[in-house]
Amino acid sequence: MPRRFIVWPDGRAAMRHSEVLIDRAFEIGATDPRLFGAFVEHLGRSVYGGIYEPGHKTADPAGYRQDVLALIRELGPTIVRYPGGNFVSGYNWEDGVGPVAQRPRRLDLAWMSAEPNSFGTNEFIDWCRLAGIEPMLAVNLGTRGAEAAGRLVEYCNHPAGTAMSDLRRSHGWEQPHAVKFWCLGNEMDAPWQIGAKTADEYGRLATEAAKVMRWVDPTVELAACGSCGRNMPNFGRWEDVVLEHCFDEVEWISLHTYLNDYAGDTAAFLASADTVDHFIEEVIAVADSVAARRRSRKRIKLSLDEWNVWYRTRRPRATRVKPGWPVAPDILQEIYTMKDALAFGGMVIALLNHADRVRAACLAQLVNVLAPIMTETGGPAWRQTIFWPFAHMTRFGRGTVLRALVHCETYSAVYHDPLGPVDVPVELPAVSYLKLAAVHDDGGVTLFMLNRDLEGPIRMQATLRGFGPLRVADALTLHDADLEAINHRDAPDRIRPVALDGVEQNADGLRVLLPPASWSVIRLVALPRG
Ligand code: AHR
C-alpha cells in the first residue's frame, strides 16, 4: 500500500497518514478469557487495605471491600494470581488456613514486612467466587518443594477422606476449591528470589513438583517459571534448560515484563511496548525448539503472568522496603501518568496480537501495588490512568484477533531496560507511530490504536474487508496535553476516556484522526445485510 501524507495548501507540516488493512479471514487466534488476568500478592497494601479491610465502611461481614470489588468488576479481570510473586517463595501455605487467631505472624523476607496471615488461601478463594474470577495459585518452590505443593493441591482440590481434604473441611470449606491453574514457583531465575535456583535445579524441582501435583489432581494445568525478564543474562538458555526437564509435565511457561521510563524519553518509552512482542516471540521460538528436538507437536502456552509499567517505585530501595517490619506498608504504590497509560496500551496491543500463544496474562498487580485501582485505608477507592486500556481490553477484546496490516511511518529509539543498577540499551530502529490490534466477534470488530507521535495526529484510513455492513457503536480516546497528568483521590477522573470525534465511515471502511500521544478504541457493530 502506498504511504500518503496530507500537505496543507500553505505548505505547513504534513500530517502523518496511515493505511491499515483488516481482513476478516486473516485470523491470529481467539483470545482466551485468561488473557485478561490480574495479580494479588501479599505485598504492601494489595491485600490488607486493598481487597480486604475489615471495618471499612463498605466491607462485607468477611472484610471484603465492596467499593474495590465494584471497581474490579468494572475493570473486568477474569483470573487472578495469588499469593505471589516474590512472597510465595518464602510462604508456608499452612500459615494462612485454619482459625485466624491461631495463625502465626511471620517475617516476610521478600518485602521485609510482617505477615499476619489473617488472609489466606480460603479467603482468597471466597473473594474470587464473590468477584466471579478464576483463581490462579502459585506454590512455593523457593524454600519448599514437591511435598508441600502436593499437599496444597490436596487441601484445595481433593473432595474428602484424606488428611488435607478433611483439614479444609474442618476449616469450614466442605466443597473442594477446584483450582485448575497452578504456577510452579515464581521467578526462580532471579537473584532476589528466596531460594533462587539454576535452570537445572529448577527444571528438576518443577518436574517433580508437577508430577506430584498432577498425581493428586490429574485435571490441574501447570506453568513453569520462565525468565523474570528479557534482559536477564540467562534468558533463552533458562527456558531451554527448564523446558528440557519439564516439557512433558507442564502446559505453560511464564514470562514477566515491566516497562519503564527512567530515561525520561517518552518516545522510547512508548516504543518499548514493541519489546513485549519481541519477548513473546523469542519465548515461543525457544519453547518450539524444545518441541522440535522431541519431534513433538505439543505447543507450550505462554502465561505472561506479570506485566505492567513499573519504575518510580522500583529502584530506590526505600520505595520497596520500609524499616521496622511493618504490616502492609505503602510500598510499590506507583502513581500512573497519562504517558504510562499509553505505554500500557501498547502492551495491551502486543498481548492481543499474540493471542494464539499467549493464552493467559496477569496485569501486575490489581489494587494499590502497581495497580489500576488505588485505595485509601478507611477512605475511597479510585481508578488510575492504566485502568482504562485494561478495561477496554476486557470489554472489547473477546473474540478472534485479526492480523492487521499497518503501514505507517516509523521512528528509531533506544530504550533502556534496567538490570540491577545498570541500564541495558535496547535499540528499536523502526517503531511504527501507529500500533494497532483488531478483534472480531459475532457482533462486529473492535480496533485498539496507540498513536505514538507525540507532536501530531495520525490520519488513519482503515480498509475493512469481509465484514459486511458495519456501524460505529463506540469511539473512545484517552489523551491529554499533559503527559504527566494523573488521577488521584481528589481528582479521580482527571484522565478518563472521552468520545473520539471525527470518525468517518466511507466505502472502504473508516477514516479517523487519532490525537497525538493517544490510546483509542473504535467498536464497529455488524448491521443486518440486505
Ligand atoms: O509484582 C512485583 C514483583 O515483581 C513480584 O513479586 C515479582 O515476581 C516481580 O519481580
Side-chain angles (χ1 to χ4, degrees):
M1 252 184 291
R3 285 183 189 154
R4 291 207 303 260
F5 301 93
I6 294 171
V7 183
W8 302 112
D10 64 2
R12 270 186 294 139
M15 184 184 295
R16 219 172 286 291
H17 189 89
S18 172
E19 298 270 347
V20 175
L21 173 62
I22 299 165
D23 188 306
R24 187 178 174 161
F26 299 170
E27 295 187 356
I28 293 176
T31 51
D32 191 307
R34 287 170 167 167
L35 191 64
F36 313 124
F39 179 28
V40 167
E41 178 169 5
H42 282 256
L43 191 186
R45 297 176 55 251
S46 173
V47 172
Y48 307 109
I51 62 170
Y52 176 75
E53 191 182 330
H56 188 273
K57 67 173 190 251
T58 73
D60 69 4
Y64 305 124
R65 276 184 70 154
Q66 300 301 304
D67 59 341
V68 173
L69 256 180
L71 286 176
I72 289 172
R73 289 194 180 104
E74 183 187 333
L75 184 72
T78 48
I79 186 168
V80 169
R81 182 167 174 252
Y82 173 88
N86 297 340
F87 172 81
V88 78
S89 297
Y91 184 50
N92 296 329
W93 65 265
E94 299 88 340
D95 292 346
V97 297
V100 173
Q102 289 166 27
R103 296 186 194 173
R105 186 184 175 95
R106 299 251 188 224
L107 296 183
D108 162 23
L109 301 181
W111 301 106
M112 301 295 165
S113 312
E115 173 53 54
N117 282 306
S118 37
F119 188 100
T121 303
N122 296 317
E123 289 80 17
F124 174 68
I125 298 289
D126 279 357
W127 177 83
C128 285
R129 302 293 179 237
L130 200 61
I133 283 171
E134 181 186 356
M136 176 193 285
L137 291 186
V139 298
N140 173 359
L141 293 187
T143 58
R144 305 190 78 186
E147 186 183 37
R151 287 190 172 183
L152 178 56
V153 176
E154 181 187 336
Y155 181 90
C156 288
N157 288 5
H158 196 72
T162 65
M164 291 301 107
S165 57
D166 287 344
L167 185 64
R168 180 198 72 241
R169 294 169 66 223
S170 77
H171 291 156
W173 281 267
E174 178 63 30
Q175 296 305 318
H177 295 327
V179 178
K180 288 283 170 256
F181 198 119
W182 295 81
C183 306
L184 299 168
N186 176 69
E187 295 190 349
M188 299 308 304
D189 61 325
W192 57 83
Q193 202 67 210
I194 301 167
K197 303 201 167 20
T198 65
D200 274 311
E201 287 167 349
Y202 173 68
R204 287 285 307 128
L205 180 57
T207 305
E208 293 308 308
K211 262 167 45 183
V212 171
M213 292 165 76
R214 206 185 299 282
W215 283 339
V216 174
D217 179 355
T219 72
V220 294
E221 295 178 48
L222 302 170
C225 289
S227 296
C228 63
R230 182 175 183 242
N231 62 2
M232 294 301 282
N234 212 16
F235 167 56
R237 278 192 300 278
W238 171 273
E239 282 76 2
D240 191 35
V241 172
V242 166
L243 283 177
E244 192 55 50
H245 282 286
C246 65
F247 184 87
D248 295 326
E249 309 292 341
V250 303
E251 289 76 29
W252 300 85
I253 183 100
S254 73
L255 46 166
H256 292 178
T257 188
Y258 294 95
L259 300 183
N260 80 83
D261 188 22
Y262 288 118
D265 179 346
T266 305
F269 181 36
L270 302 192
S272 71
D274 291 2
T275 66
V276 179
D277 298 276
H278 305 159
F279 191 17
I280 291 168
E281 286 155 20
E282 288 152 1
V283 174
I284 292 170
V286 177
D288 289 355
S289 80
V290 178
R293 281 204 296 273
R294 295 163 183 253
R295 287 95 182 149
S296 170
R297 298 308 301 162
K298 174 175 173 177
R299 287 295 173 263
I300 298 286
K301 294 180 277 192
L302 273 59
S303 175
L304 220 168
D305 51 36
E306 288 187 31
W307 68 270
N308 200 346
V309 167
W310 179 17
Y311 54 110
R312 297 180 188 84
T313 60
R314 189 168 186 181
R315 266 188 175 160
R317 188 174 157 79
T319 60
R320 283 185 282 122
V321 169
K322 303 275 180 196
W325 300 98
V327 174
D330 56 352
I331 54 175
L332 275 68
Q333 297 198 165
E334 190 95 359
I335 304 302
Y336 290 108
T337 60
M338 178 63 223
K339 86 178 163 190
D340 296 334
L342 297 177
F344 184 96
M347 299 178 97
V348 164
I349 291 170
L351 283 179
L352 289 171
N353 280 333
H354 292 90
D356 52 336
R357 290 299 289 274
V358 181
R359 309 293 296 161
C362 299
L363 156 60
Q365 298 195 10
L366 185 57
V367 185
N368 288 330
V369 170
L370 311 177
I373 298 168
M374 293 299 289
T375 74
E376 194 176 81
T377 301
W382 62 96
R383 303 171 192 83
Q384 293 229 65
T385 61
I386 61 169
F387 183 100
W388 294 111
F390 192 86
H392 290 156
M393 173 171 70
T394 65
R395 180 169 161 211
F396 296 114
R398 291 157 198 265
T400 300
V401 184
L402 302 176
R403 190 173 306 287
L405 298 182
V406 176
H407 286 269
C408 190
E409 271 188 281
T410 62
Y411 65 101
S412 70
V414 180
Y415 169 63
H416 292 272
D417 207 11
L419 183 60
V422 179
D423 273 332
V424 179
V426 180
E427 295 200 6
L428 297 164
V431 179
S432 171
Y433 281 103
L434 175 64
K435 194 170 176 71
L436 179 144
V439 181
H440 169 242
D441 60 36
D442 290 342
V445 61
T446 303
L447 311 186
F448 300 84
M449 292 146 293
L450 173 67
N451 176 4
R452 297 189 266 208
D453 189 338
L454 306 179
E455 306 300 330
I458 295 178
R459 168 70 71 193
M460 183 186 87
Q461 170 66 48
T463 301
L464 300 163
R465 267 196 337 217
F467 298 96
L470 295 164
R471 170 180 68 79
V472 175
D474 279 292
L476 301 166
T477 190
L478 198 66
H479 73 103
D480 197 287
D482 180 4
L483 289 180
E484 300 302 325
I486 60 168
N487 292 342
H488 58 86
R489 183 194 186 286
D490 301 321
D493 296 324
R494 167 78 172 80
I495 300 294
R496 61 177 312 163
V498 295
L500 175 63
D501 295 329
V503 179
E504 293 167 23
Q505 285 192 258
N506 52 27
D508 290 335
L510 209 60
R511 222 161 93 97
V512 188
L513 196 63
L514 299 169
S518 65
W519 159 264
S520 304
V521 177
I522 298 177
R523 167 79 181 152
L524 296 126
V525 292
L527 290 171
R529 287 173 192 266

